[in-house]
Each structure stands twice: as C-alpha cells, then as structure tokens.
Amino acid sequence: MRPVKRDDAPIDSDGNPVNFKKYGDARPYLINRLGQYCSYCEIWLPMGLAVEHIQPKGNETALEKEWSNFLLSCPSCNSRKGKKVVNAENLHDYYWPHCDNTFRVFIYENDRAPQIAKSLNEAQQRIARNTLELTGLDIEPISRKNVKDPRWMPRYTAWRKAEWAKEDFDRDSGEAMCLRIVETAITTGFWSVWMTVFQDYADMRRRLIEAFQGTSEECFDHNTQPVQRAGGKI
C-alpha cells in the first residue's frame, strides 16, 4: 500500500480552506494531490475514482465534507469498506496511507493478495490484518478463471509488466529506457508492485517514488528503503 502525502485542505483565492458544498467537489483536489490511484489497492483509474470517507459519512455526518476525512477509492475498495465501523475511537486499529508508512507493512508477491510483513510484531500484525480486511485486500484469488477479487487481475498484469520492464532494464539501463519504464508504471498503477520488482535497483525505485504523484518521499531513506513515518504508527 503506497504511503501518500495528502497535506492540509486546499486554499481558495482568499487564502481560506476550500468549503466543499458537496463532498464530490473534493475529487479534483484529491487527484491533484494523490494522482489517479486508489488509496488502498493502488489501481490506476483515470475514470471512476470516488471520494472515499475514512470514517463513513453515514456514521459521521459531521465529517461528510471534511478534507481530513477524504481519500480516493476505486469502486471495489469503496464497496467492500462500505459502512464498516471506523470512528475516532478505533482509527488507530488500522494503518492509513496518508498517516503511516504502509509500504513497511505489506509484501507483494506475484499472483497473491498483499501479505503482512513478517518483520512486524504481534500488535502490528493485528493492525495490518485489520487494514487488509477493511477493504477486502486479504482475499486470495482462487484461480485465474474463478476470481473472487476483481482487483487481482490488474494487479497481476502490473506484476508481469514490471517483470518484463526489469528484463528490458537489465539489457539496457539507459536514460530512455528508464523514462519508458516509469511512464509504463504510472499508467499501469500498483506502485508497490513496481517497487517490489525493482527492489534491487535504487535508482529506478527513486524514480518511481518521484513519478507517482502524491507518494510520501519522507517515508524512504537515501537508498529508497522504507523508514518510520514521522507522526505515524509505523
């Protein structure tokens, strides 16, 4: 799960926080900050991304139009999260891409659902498990012909594209090739997949961190290794 930098609410021409008449009005601002990617599964979705309420608007009506309660979500993640109880009391029971370094939490492996990093302690693993279950990202694909999770196939496609790109890179690591790989990555999505496939190539990982709009650069050291996020749980 990509750690993102949403920042404070956008400012209007008078220097005041934008007052959203409808929560959907925040969508272009969020896309400008976070790119055209689901904040949870990371799918690239140039059309169809929704303003996602961290605390469901049906439960927390006062937060329906609050910037601090917004992320971006694809239909699958939005539907599975639905009205699950997330409130001020249990927010800390989950890892959030705008607050924590979520890249430290999950491992990506070819055709599997995101896995919980073995380096986490028991308490951290519990929070990680809650996070996957929240949007159904823990669902393992049964087979290529019988897929319970529609997000699996584009994630698998991204993995294959990343592997092919790495093979090309191993033959030609010139600037033109690097730019081509980055362009393919940002229009394919699944940043974590690309970062995993290129785990031994710090320069390419740095390019991916910089190219994917909204990625929190503070979550990585100079060698692109994930570090504790300031103010985050991990």
Side-chain angles (χ1 to χ4, degrees), residues 51-200:
V51 174
E52 202 281 309
H53 292 82
I54 297 166
Q55 298 182 56
K57 60 183 183 296
N59 299 342
E60 300 288 345
T61 55
L63 297 176
E64 180 179 353
K65 294 178 282 186
E66 285 294 322
W67 176 261
S68 62
N69 197 40
F70 295 156
L71 286 173
L72 287 170
S73 180
C74 71
S76 293
C77 288
N78 203 15
S79 174
R80 290 190 179 277
K81 183 169 178 286
K83 295 183 179 179
K84 292 178 182 176
V85 179
V86 177
N87 52 45
E89 286 71 37
N90 70 355
L91 275 174
H92 289 288
D93 291 337
Y94 305 92
Y95 288 122
W96 300 103
H98 64 298
C99 296
D100 303 301
N101 188 349
T102 40
F103 192 60
R104 298 182 67 195
V105 179
F106 304 112
I107 302 296
Y108 288 75
E109 301 175 350
N110 203 337
D111 57 354
R112 296 201 63 189
Q115 303 295 303
I116 297 171
K118 293 182 174 60
S119 59
L120 303 186
N121 63 38
E122 186 176 343
Q124 291 170 330
Q125 288 185 29
R126 176 183 56 79
I127 298 174
R129 197 157 37 248
N130 291 344
T131 304
L132 290 179
E133 292 174 355
L134 184 66
T135 54
L137 284 171
D138 58 327
I139 298 173
E140 292 282 4
I142 298 175
S143 73
R144 296 186 187 184
K145 293 183 178 180
N146 184 15
V147 180
K148 289 177 63 178
D149 183 357
R151 295 161 293 188
W152 171 78
M153 185 56 74
R155 188 173 64 232
Y156 175 73
T157 299
W159 186 277
R160 297 301 300 150
K161 284 186 177 182
E163 286 190 324
W164 293 330
K166 187 169 79 69
E167 290 174 4
D168 289 341
F169 181 83
D170 286 337
R171 289 190 294 267
D172 173 13
S173 58
E175 183 67 12
M177 177 61 71
C178 292
L179 294 174
R180 192 178 311 140
I181 290 172
V182 168
E183 181 63 27
T184 300
I186 62 178
T187 55
T188 300
F190 299 101
W191 172 90
S192 292
V193 166
W194 290 85
M195 287 288 287
T196 300
V197 170
F198 281 92
Q199 60 185 337
D200 296 325

Side-chain angles (χ1 to χ4, degrees), residues 16-44:
N16 300 312
V18 173
N19 182 23
F20 301 110
K21 295 181 179 179
K22 298 179 293 183
Y23 68 83
D25 294 341
R27 184 175 180 272
Y29 294 96
L30 288 164
I31 289 176
N32 183 57
R33 299 280 182 88
L34 307 178
Q36 296 174 307
Y37 307 99
C38 177
S39 299
Y40 301 109
C41 74
E42 303 185 36
I43 193 171
W44 178 60

